[in-house]
């Protein structure tokens, strides 16, 4: 699909181990001439981890997108009223963020961006990455799968031996999932 002119909100939350898989996908979308509004949760924007420094990720993402990252609730709120996005993706979408979305808890830039975007009846794509996707967060995933305008990037068990309840999205499906979701369709299969 040609993403030329598409206004994509790209949200990153605190599943830091997937950032290096996600950032190349942002770059691919930009190369396909999409207009990308980068958004980060508080943790994604502020925490240094063993996977990298927050400042390095911020610089890289802002350079790719040619836009400053939205990282406050106040800056995320106008996304919907101003019609800034045609489609939004949360990749990675942590278990914490999925739980908040499932319970309509809007207390982070990521959840505010999603809520604001959804008010315009437009697609929201979730790329789940959580250590409890097959336990405590399974219920929340089920709730979101049943909501209008929610679509999922296909996912699988992360490491069934050492992390038997952990799931992670397949980054190779990000752009294809966006193509389907913009037409109001869920790519299949969801479970890989």
């Amino acid at each position: 699909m040609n993403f030329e002119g598409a206004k994509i909100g790209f949200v990153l939350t605190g599943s830091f181990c997937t950032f290096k898989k996600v950032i190349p996908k942002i770059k691919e979308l930009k190369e396909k001439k999409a207009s990308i509004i980068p958004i980060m949760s508080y943790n994604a924007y502020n925490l240094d981890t063993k996977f990298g420094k927050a400042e390095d990720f911020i610089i890289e993402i802002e350079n790719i997108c040619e836009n400053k990252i939205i990282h406050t609730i106040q800056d995320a709120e106008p996304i919907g009223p101003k019609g800034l996005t045609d489609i939004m993706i949360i990749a990675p979408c942590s278990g914490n963020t999925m739980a908040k979305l499932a319970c309509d808890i809007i207390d982070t830039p990521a959840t505010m961006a999603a809520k604001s975007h959804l008010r315009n009846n437009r697609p929201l794509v979730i790329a789940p990455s959580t250590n409890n996707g097959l336990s405590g967060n399974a219920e929340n995933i089920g709730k979101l799968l049943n909501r209008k305008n929610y679509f999922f990037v296909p996912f699988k068990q992360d490491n069934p031996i050492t992390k038997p309840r952990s799931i992670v999205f397949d980054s190779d499906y990000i752009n294809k999932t966006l193509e389907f979701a913009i037409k109001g369709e869920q790519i299949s299969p969801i479970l890989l």
Side-chain angles (χ1 to χ4, degrees):
M1 175 179 178
N2 181 356
F3 285 99
E4 186 169 359
K7 299 181 293 184
I8 301 173
F10 207 109
V11 184
L12 291 90
T13 67
S15 184
F16 305 99
C17 60
T18 63
F19 281 20
K20 291 192 177 174
K21 292 179 182 178
V22 167
I23 292 172
K25 299 305 174 184
I26 297 172
K27 189 172 185 178
E28 282 179 29
L29 291 167
K30 187 65 177 173
E31 288 169 353
K32 292 181 179 187
K33 306 213 184 303
S35 173
I36 301 172
I37 297 173
I39 303 149
M40 293 178 96
S41 67
Y42 291 131
N43 288 342
Y45 192 81
N46 290 301
L47 297 180
D48 294 335
T49 71
K50 66 182 178 180
F51 301 104
K53 293 185 176 187
E55 183 179 356
D56 293 339
F57 287 125
I58 290 164
I59 290 168
E60 185 177 9
I61 292 166
E62 288 182 342
N63 284 338
I64 292 168
C65 297
E66 300 174 337
N67 278 318
K68 289 287 186 190
I69 292 171
I70 292 173
H71 60 95
T72 67
I73 290 174
Q74 299 91 323
D75 289 338
E77 191 278 330
I79 289 171
K82 291 184 177 180
L84 299 180
T85 50
D86 299 319
I87 189 166
M88 183 171 285
I89 180 167
I90 305 177
C93 188
S94 66
N96 185 51
T97 298
M98 283 188 286
K100 288 181 180 204
L101 290 171
C103 295
D104 202 31
I105 298 169
I106 310 304
D107 64 352
T108 72
T111 55
M112 176 56 79
K115 175 188 176 198
S116 188
H117 167 79
L118 285 167
R119 74 184 281 174
N120 293 324
N121 207 27
R122 294 183 178 156
L124 175 66
V125 174
I126 303 293
S129 181
T130 176
N131 286 329
N132 69 347
L134 297 178
S135 59
N137 230 321
E139 179 181 357
N140 297 318
I141 292 168
K143 286 178 183 178
L144 297 176
L145 282 167
N146 282 305
R147 293 225 180 123
K148 183 180 178 185
N149 295 319
Y150 277 81
F151 302 89
F152 275 73
V153 174
F155 58 91
K156 59 189 172 189
Q157 281 186 282
D158 183 11
N159 183 335
I161 305 305
T162 61
K163 299 191 304 184
R165 291 169 186 81
S166 182
I167 61 168
V168 66
F169 64 94
D170 187 328
S171 62
D172 290 338
Y173 284 90
I174 286 177
N175 290 351
K176 197 72 169 164
T177 304
L178 288 168
E179 289 177 24
F180 274 73
I182 211 150
K183 296 183 287 187
E185 300 173 21
Q186 172 63 57
I187 194 170
S188 315
I190 295 175
L191 298 175
L192 300 175

